[in-house]
């Protein structure tokens, strides 16, 4: 777009890829997020010092902080995202649900009073009927959430969930909802310009989750392509929420689908770009970040974008999140220097990453190291593309979840689109990676039988092979 870029970085990210790729890079301070990326004054000072006239917040740290949007407005800097007022209406789950009720958008039965007491939550759970789900009123990412099967579990679950929410978001307020069995997670991507136009760019399904964290996302959603729920009704609900909130720029309206009833309910709005936005880009051929910038500049959405029909969906796309974690050790984060990095390069495959050979996976930040996106003419083709891509993705120096992702993609129920948010817990509890020693043993045995003939050939062509240092022997 011809726009010069300024990156900000912490001490831990001094050599990070994003800092190297930008036209300018400004140090923010210490490695702890509170000392750098979460410091609103430091971020704004960096913009002023470099003459930046806009800030794109990405999809972490300050991306959903209304204070940053307000501060940019006051400083005369464009915020590439919604207004602070819209964020406040939608950032708190309770006020967002109240907005949904106002617009006639279906919500999960529950109790959403701000600052509700423990007694009020107990009474609400009895009214709604067990099992119930406790949720933090603020924040997301699975923090502050607990499933409660019976009244005797509620007190302890409430205490733990509230404490977790307080630590994560600085707000321990809770709400209670009816727990839906085997729910599916579907979200609608929206773009809204400054002139009142809203485009709903179809939906994504994010039902493959481990501990409420998304691992595999796809578009369009199998839950909708199978006819489980009505796309037009979901699209209209997303449009109402966005319009009522006065929302602008890119956002995601999230729904939970009840397969048993064939119905959907509004969950929340993510007032930012989503990690999984590339699958929407693949099926629409739209660059969402480019449109975020254009909307912030005051451009209008094209008239045809607001009325896209499903016949305009281009194939199917699936994204897998490659995470630096050790599946053999309970999926604990794996930190350290990346010693080797080889990513797939083939038609229909895209890799988004901030890492490469020599990069450091730090203990300070999220352990997501890459997103691998595959696009095909059909869902089965996209799955096959993604499998092939992950088989050709290699990271040395830290552990990763690539083998786990491949196991999920090969599962017959996943292939058939029979998924829900409990899919991984139900089918992969106790999953262990394949034993590498068995592979090395097989290679060693094969090499031992071939060694005399091969070694003679190699020695005749290159004396390095006769050094006898053991380095070249399996």
């Amino acid at each position: 777009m011809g726009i010069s870029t300024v990156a900000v970085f912490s001490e831990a990210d001094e050599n990070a890829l994003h800092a190297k790729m930008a036209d300018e890079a400004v140090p923010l301070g210490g490695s702890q997020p509170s000392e750098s990326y979460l410091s609103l004054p430091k971020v704004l000072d960096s913009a002023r010092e470099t003459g930046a006239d806009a800030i794109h917040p990405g999809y972490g740290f300050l991306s959903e902080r209304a204070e940053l949007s307000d501060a940019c407005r006051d400083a005369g800097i464009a915020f590439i995202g919604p207004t602070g007022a819209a964020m406040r209406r939608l950032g708190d789950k309770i006020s967002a649900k109240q907005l949904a009720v106002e617009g006639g958008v279906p919500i999960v039965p529950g109790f959403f009073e701000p600052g509700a007491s423990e007694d009020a939550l107990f009474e609400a759970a009895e009214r709604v009927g067990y099992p119930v789900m406790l949720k933090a009123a603020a924040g997301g990412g699975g923090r502050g959430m607990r499933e409660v099967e019976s009244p005797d579990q509620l007190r302890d679950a409430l205490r733990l969930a509230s404490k977790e929410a307080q630590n994560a978001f600085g707000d321990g307020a809770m709400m209670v909802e009816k727990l839906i069995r085997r729910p599916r997670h579907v979200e609608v991507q929206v773009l809204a310009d400054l002139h009142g136009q809203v485009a709903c760019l179809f939906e994504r399904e994010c039902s493959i989750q481990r501990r409420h964290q998304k691992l595999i996302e796809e578009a369009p959603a199998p839950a909708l392509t199978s006819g489980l729920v009505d796309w037009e009704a979901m699209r209209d609900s997303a449009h109402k929420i966005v319009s009522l909130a006065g929302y602008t720029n890119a956002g995601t309206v999230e729904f939970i689908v009840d397969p048993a009833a064939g119905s959907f309910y509004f969950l929340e709005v993510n007032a930012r770009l989503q990690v999984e936005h590339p699958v929407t880009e693949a099926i629409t051929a739209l660059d969402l970040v480019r449109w975020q910038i254009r909307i912030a500049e005051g451009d209008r959405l094209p008239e045809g974008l607001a009325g896209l029909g499903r016949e305009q969906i281009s194939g199917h796309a699936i994204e897998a999140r490659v995470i630096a974690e050790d599946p053999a050790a309970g999926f604990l984060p794996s930190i350290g220097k990346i010693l080797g990095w080889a990513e797939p390069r083939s038609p229909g495959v895209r890799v988004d990453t901030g890492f490469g050979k020599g990069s450091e996976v730090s203990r300070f930040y999220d352990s997501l190291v890459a997103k691998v996106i595959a696009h095909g003419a059909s869902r089965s083709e996209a799955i096959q593309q993604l499998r092939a891509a992950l088989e050709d993705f290699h990271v040395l120096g830290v552990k990763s979840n690539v083998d786990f992702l491949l196991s999920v993609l090969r599962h017959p129920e996943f292939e058939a689109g029979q998924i829900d948010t409990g899919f991984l817990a139900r089918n992969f509890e106790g999953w262990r990676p394949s034993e590498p020693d068995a592979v090395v043993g097989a290679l060693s045995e094969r090499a031992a039988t071939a060694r005399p003939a091969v070694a003679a050939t190699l020695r005749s062509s290159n004396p390095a092979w006769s050094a006898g240092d053991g380095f070249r022997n399996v």
Side-chain angles (χ1 to χ4, degrees):
M1 296 181 75
I3 300 171
S4 298
T5 54
V6 179
V8 291
F9 64 90
S10 68
E11 285 180 2
D13 280 346
E14 185 176 359
N15 297 310
L17 197 57
H18 76 278
K20 292 178 179 178
M21 291 180 71
D23 296 301
E24 294 181 67
V26 180
L28 287 182
S31 299
Q32 293 289 351
S34 59
E35 302 168 337
S36 51
Y37 297 118
L38 286 175
S39 174
L40 198 153
K42 288 182 178 180
V43 171
L44 286 171
D45 285 346
S46 299
R48 294 189 189 98
E49 289 166 13
T50 57
D53 56 7
I55 290 178
H56 190 297
Y59 43 69
F61 294 119
L62 295 172
S63 60
E64 291 187 274
R65 292 287 184 88
E67 306 96 296
L68 176 59
S69 181
D70 291 343
C72 286
R73 177 201 61 209
D74 295 343
I77 298 170
F79 179 73
I80 303 174
T83 64
M87 277 197 199
R88 288 185 180 91
R89 291 212 76 180
L90 297 171
D92 180 272
K93 292 187 182 71
I94 292 175
S95 64
K97 286 182 185 295
Q98 290 171 338
L99 194 69
V101 171
E102 180 185 331
V105 174
I107 64 170
V108 178
F111 181 69
F112 317 111
E113 289 298 323
S117 67
E118 187 174 295
D119 287 343
L121 291 168
F122 264 85
E123 291 173 9
E126 290 290 341
R127 247 187 346 265
V128 169
Y130 290 91
V132 297
M133 175 73 85
L134 288 173
K135 285 187 177 181
R143 293 177 177 86
M145 292 177 66
R146 291 291 188 282
E147 293 183 11
V148 182
E149 297 287 341
S150 59
D152 58 299
Q153 298 176 359
L154 186 60
R155 196 173 303 279
D156 285 344
L158 184 58
R159 177 178 53 81
L160 291 169
S162 182
K163 183 178 179 181
E164 188 175 58
Q166 182 66 43
N167 291 339
F169 317 119
D171 184 351
M174 302 299 296
M175 58 188 195
V176 63
E177 287 182 346
K178 179 69 179 173
L179 179 64
I180 294 172
R181 298 293 190 187
R182 297 203 173 188
R184 300 180 70 146
H185 187 128
V186 177
E187 57 190 32
V188 177
Q189 174 69 58
V190 298
L191 285 176
D193 66 21
L194 302 174
H195 310 282
Q197 297 181 99
V198 178
C200 294
L201 306 178
F202 308 115
E203 80 290 340
R204 303 182 285 257
E205 182 150 1
C206 310
S207 295
I208 301 298
Q209 304 176 10
R210 191 177 63 80
R211 299 171 190 166
H212 304 294
Q213 297 288 336
K214 301 170 186 174
L215 278 185
I216 296 175
E217 302 104 346
E218 53 186 309
L224 269 71
T225 54
S226 65
L228 187 60
V229 292
D230 179 29
W231 156 246
E232 292 186 357
M234 185 176 282
R235 177 200 63 198
D236 293 347
S237 292
H239 194 290
K240 281 181 187 175
I241 290 285
V242 169
S243 299
L244 283 170
Y247 190 94
T248 53
N249 217 271
T252 304
V253 185
E254 302 202 358
F255 297 93
I256 191 168
V257 173
D258 183 349
S263 54
F264 66 87
Y265 305 102
F266 169 73
L267 273 182
E268 60 181 324
V269 174
N270 279 292
R272 54 176 168 81
L273 194 69
Q274 292 279 86
V275 175
E276 58 270 24
H277 77 274
V279 293
T280 296
E281 293 186 329
I283 67 164
T284 60
L286 292 169
D287 185 328
L288 296 183
V289 179
R290 176 184 287 265
W291 269 109
Q292 282 191 292
I293 296 168
R294 289 188 61 179
I295 288 170
E297 289 178 330
D299 287 0
R300 289 178 176 272
L301 292 172
E303 287 186 15
L305 209 57
L308 288 177
R310 293 190 76 79
E311 70 281 356
Q312 293 169 275
I313 294 174
S314 173
H316 197 95
I318 305 182
E319 172 183 296
R321 302 190 189 195
V322 178
I323 300 170
E325 60 186 6
D326 186 358
F331 294 91
L332 286 173
S334 178
I335 62 174
K337 180 168 281 190
I338 294 175
L339 305 177
W341 179 278
E343 63 188 53
R345 298 182 184 277
S346 60
V349 173
R350 163 179 167 178
V351 178
D352 286 7
T353 184
F355 293 84
K357 184 180 178 181
S359 296
E360 190 83 22
V361 180
S362 165
R363 66 183 176 86
F364 296 104
Y365 315 121
D366 192 274
S367 50
L368 175 71
V369 294
K371 305 181 295 182
V372 182
I373 305 100
H375 183 219
S378 64
R379 185 173 186 267
S380 59
E381 186 178 307
I383 291 173
Q384 186 55 48
Q385 286 266 58
L386 186 53
R387 283 182 194 151
L390 289 172
E391 285 167 356
D392 204 24
F393 194 112
H394 306 283
V395 183
L396 299 177
V398 295
K399 306 278 189 182
S400 82
N401 66 334
V402 167
D403 281 350
F404 181 74
L405 293 168
L406 282 167
S407 295
V408 176
L409 291 169
R410 293 184 182 119
H411 196 284
E413 288 181 20
F414 178 84
E415 289 182 322
Q418 297 169 359
I419 55 178
D420 57 75
T421 58
F423 177 84
L424 295 184
R426 195 167 56 250
N427 294 295
F428 289 88
E429 188 66 38
W431 180 91
R432 304 283 292 181
S434 58
E435 183 54 63
D437 289 348
V439 178
V440 173
L443 289 170
S444 181
E445 184 179 347
R446 179 69 188 92
T449 60
R451 183 160 44 198
V454 174
T457 305
L458 291 170
R459 274 196 294 273
S460 66
S461 61
N462 190 335
W465 286 95
S466 60
D469 60 2
F471 175 75
R472 292 165 189 84
N473 298 328
V474 175

